[in-house]
Amino acid sequence: MTKLNLDIIGGPLLVLAGLALPFAGADYLMGIAFNLAMWIALTQSWSILSAMTGYVSLGHVVFCGIGSYVFILTNGTLPMPVALACAGLAAGVMALVIGLPVLRVRGPYFVILTFGLAELAKNVIVQIETSLGQFSRLIFDAPALDTLYFIMFGLAVASTAAAVLVRHSKLGRGLVAIRENEEAAEAIGVPVTRLKLIAFVVAAIIPGIVGGVLLLRTSYFEAAQAFDPVISFSIVTMAIVGGMGTVRGPILGSLAFVLLSELLWARFPQLYMIILGALLILFILFMPRGLSGLFERREARR
Amino acid sequence: MTILDVQGISKSFGGLKALTNVSFSVEEGAIFGLMGANGAGKTTLFAVIAGQIKPSGGSVSFRNRTITGKRPDQICRLGISRTFQIVRPFAGISVLDNVIVSALYGAAASNSHAEAREAGIAALEAVGLAGSADKLAGELTLSGQKRLEIARALATGAEMLLLDEVMAGLTPTEVEEMIATLSELRRARNLTFMLVEHVMGALMALSDRILALDHGVPIAIGTPAEIAANPDVLKVYFG
């Protein structure tokens, strides 16, 4: 009951705070909020596949990258909202195409394969761009930051809503059974291949759109940056730090990271990967349920 | 009426013949036992029927419908559900959630969470696990996890259960309880069972008919009394 209360009160409060933020009038604050919304959207979508099924993807950035690329190719020719939809659609289609072969392997093989695929996609796009003589593409007519913020905020809410819906649906129960024991799940009638594929596609669409919006913010496309594996590492770390067991986890993890990065990494960027690694180890060893585990313990004590 | 018909099933793993030309049929409502030493092919036969292993030859039909070549989840939805010799609980979720997944996806697949919950609770009650519904499945004792295997198979709404050594590792008292549970299930739900069991007393007491396998070859089929008196069976078991 307490848990429900916390979510019922906390959820709308967060949404209201998010909506009110641009009216505070500080671009600096909005920039931070934009990043926060982006990480929530990405980590929440990642959790739909990886936290639910246990298929830990280390290549989630590939969907952002594809989304960015499709967006930069279509924006201008098509109206911006349509181009963003194309970005999401392209990421979804890509997940559908690579999902069947990729989701056949489990455990460490899946981790390595997703990482490798993302790198492969990056290099392919880099080569295409190089052969076209394009080293970076610019966007000149990007909307103002508050518009972009609202779009990203909407994506964070949509991603969170999707995660909540999946968790409480028949699909979600099937995915958890797959995570706990795939063969046993199949033996009780769970169509494992189909469910994994659905989760993979659902998890891919939002990052695709995020990729497009991110481009509008940075205002240029450069393949190596759009497919930067550090984005994938960050997503996994945020999910683990926040806690994989609940929908709150990705929100708490993203919040912790964005705050840390403002306090620390903005001044010492060379420390980023070191701190990422250290946090990952500390949390896995000492707080496997992540920051949201702290809430659960408090709730359980009451 | 025949519910399961197995015709000429063979399975080789490389040079090893795990099953050679196995044929038998199971009557609706019967308890059909499988016996044989370790490596006789009992579990392989289960895996062939349940769809986890594709046979090299032969066919299996359930209610006059060929099921060979179908996926395990499809076969489950047609009404056959198996348990695993080495238990495979969904350890990180509650006992009740374990069976709810079965009820949502099995043969009696329901899209209603309330219905699935009801079917799940009924399955837990049938195996005597209702008191542990809120425990994590991983916290159950081995005996509890064996019962959960059965409950999960039951909750799918299956008409036929393949139980793979559900009594192995249990104490004599627990075996007695398990025999009572299975007899009650058969009576109350009109289910058909196939049992693989090393606990001979239990197999003899429960089964209507028994198939004996030796290195994948069927050596005898008949009532428990016929099997116990069969010279080939005695030779394999006692030399």
Side-chain angles (χ1 to χ4, degrees), chain A residues 12-38:
Chain A
L13 269 183
L14 270 180
V15 173
L16 278 179
L19 287 175
L21 190 117
F23 301 102
D27 268 11
Y28 170 70
L29 202 59
M30 222 186 323
I32 298 175
F34 178 90
N35 287 340
L36 177 60
M38 177 185 81

Side-chain angles (χ1 to χ4, degrees), chain A residues 43-302:
Chain A
T43 310
Q44 210 68 273
S45 68
W46 178 89
S47 77
I48 292 174
L49 174 76
S50 296
M52 296 294 286
T53 65
Y55 277 73
V56 173
S57 164
L58 206 52
H60 208 52
V61 72
V62 76
F63 301 124
C64 278
I66 290 296
S68 294
Y69 194 51
V70 168
F71 181 77
I72 197 86
L73 295 180
T74 52
N75 190 38
T77 321
L78 297 170
M80 190 192 78
V82 182
L84 282 180
C86 285
L89 198 67
V93 169
M94 171 154 181
L96 193 64
V97 173
I98 64 172
L100 269 184
V102 171
L103 289 163
R104 292 173 78 96
V105 296
R106 270 184 255 185
Y109 303 104
F110 183 78
V111 177
I112 300 291
L113 187 57
T114 48
F115 176 72
L117 265 176
E119 287 295 288
L120 176 69
K122 175 174 87 180
N123 286 303
V124 168
I125 305 284
V126 167
Q127 288 304 321
I128 293 175
E129 289 291 275
T130 310
S131 66
L132 293 174
Q134 295 274 4
F135 295 100
S136 72
R137 298 172 185 253
L138 295 175
I139 294 180
F140 296 104
D141 53 351
L145 178 57
D146 53 355
T147 310
L148 294 181
Y149 166 72
F150 277 123
I151 301 176
M152 197 57 101
F153 180 73
L155 289 173
V157 172
S159 198
T160 304
V164 171
L165 284 176
V166 169
R167 258 175 210 277
H168 292 95
S169 67
K170 180 173 170 175
L171 169 66
R173 286 186 178 267
L175 296 177
V176 167
I178 290 171
R179 178 184 74 204
E180 295 292 322
N181 192 312
E182 192 160 341
E183 269 187 292
E186 201 175 23
I188 57 167
V190 178
V192 294
T193 309
R194 195 192 322 155
L195 295 200
K196 286 189 293 185
L197 199 57
I198 293 172
F200 202 44
V201 172
V202 169
I205 292 172
I206 285 184
I209 307 175
V210 168
V213 181
L214 186 59
L215 269 196
L216 289 170
R217 170 91 167 112
T218 57
S219 72
Y220 73 97
F221 175 86
E222 204 267 308
Q225 192 182 331
F227 287 86
D228 187 353
V230 173
I231 295 176
S232 298
F233 303 153
S234 302
I235 292 172
V236 176
T237 315
M238 285 180 205
I240 289 172
V241 166
M244 307 238 283
T246 64
V247 177
R248 286 182 212 154
I251 299 175
L252 292 172
S254 305
L255 198 59
F257 261 68
V258 170
L259 288 180
L260 255 185
S261 93
E262 285 311 312
L263 294 176
L264 209 59
W265 297 326
R267 267 163 271 171
F268 312 103
Q270 66 277 23
L271 290 180
Y272 186 81
M273 288 302 279
I274 297 174
I275 297 179
L276 212 63
L279 274 175
L280 207 54
I281 294 170
L282 286 175
F283 269 81
I284 288 174
L285 283 180
F286 301 111
M287 277 178 70
R289 302 193 61 82
L291 292 173
S292 56
L294 294 177
F295 282 87
E296 280 159 36
R297 235 180 287 159
R298 265 189 51 210
E299 281 159 10
R301 231 184 280 148
R302 279 188 205 165

Side-chain angles (χ1 to χ4, degrees), chain A residues 168-195, chain B residues 52 71-73 76-77 81-82 84 88-93 97 100-102 104-106 109-111 113 152 156:
Chain A
H168 292 95
S169 67
K170 180 173 170 175
L171 169 66
R173 286 186 178 267
L175 296 177
V176 167
I178 290 171
R179 178 184 74 204
E180 295 292 322
N181 192 312
E182 192 160 341
E183 269 187 292
E186 201 175 23
I188 57 167
V190 178
V192 294
T193 309
R194 195 192 322 155
L195 295 200
Chain B
Q52 276 103 13
R71 294 192 314 265
D73 58 300
C76 174
R77 285 196 293 277
S81 189
R82 73 168 290 190
F84 292 95
R88 298 180 179 190
F90 302 140
I93 59 177
D97 283 338
I100 286 178
V101 187
S102 292
L104 285 172
Y105 283 98
S110 159
N111 287 315
H113 189 84
R152 224 168 38 186
T156 63

Side-chain angles (χ1 to χ4, degrees), chain B residues 6-198:
Chain B
V6 173
Q7 284 304 324
I9 286 292
S10 297
K11 175 68 191 177
S12 309
F13 296 106
L16 176 77
K17 285 190 154 180
L19 292 171
T20 308
N21 200 20
V22 178
S23 301
F24 63 93
S25 61
V26 179
E27 294 294 301
E28 188 165 357
I31 297 188
F32 189 91
L34 272 182
M35 64 183 276
N38 286 327
K42 306 180 297 289
T43 297
T44 307
L45 184 55
F46 266 20
V48 166
I49 297 171
Q52 276 103 13
I53 292 179
K54 305 268 170 277
S56 323
S59 73
V60 180
S61 48
F62 179 68
R63 292 202 176 283
N64 297 322
R65 204 167 155 175
T66 305
I67 57 170
T68 356
K70 288 194 187 296
R71 294 192 314 265
D73 58 300
Q74 293 173 319
I75 291 174
C76 174
R77 285 196 293 277
L78 290 173
I80 300 181
S81 189
R82 73 168 290 190
T83 67
F84 292 95
Q85 181 182 356
I86 296 161
V87 292
R88 298 180 179 190
F90 302 140
I93 59 177
S94 76
V95 168
L96 180 58
D97 283 338
N98 267 258
V99 285
I100 286 178
V101 187
S102 292
L104 285 172
Y105 283 98
S110 159
N111 287 315
S112 143
H113 189 84
E115 269 177 36
R117 194 184 150 84
E118 232 165 80
I121 290 175
L124 291 181
E125 278 169 354
V127 301
L129 270 183
S132 309
D134 295 329
K135 271 193 196 167
L136 285 183
E139 293 171 353
L140 292 177
T141 59
L142 176 64
S143 158
Q145 293 189 350
K146 296 246 168 184
R147 285 173 180 275
L148 178 58
E149 284 278 320
I150 301 176
R152 224 168 38 186
L154 265 184
T156 63
E159 296 171 88
M160 180 166 192
L161 300 190
L162 313 183
L163 305 183
D164 197 349
E165 296 208 23
V166 289
M167 302 191 202
L170 302 190
T171 65
T173 325
E174 286 167 345
V175 168
E176 287 302 317
E177 286 169 8
M178 189 65 93
I179 291 176
T181 301
L182 294 183
S183 307
E184 174 60 19
L185 272 179
R186 174 197 203 182
R187 197 189 58 74
R189 296 201 177 204
N190 191 32
L191 297 171
T192 309
F193 289 95
M194 270 186 81
L195 298 182
V196 163
E197 208 54 68
H198 274 301

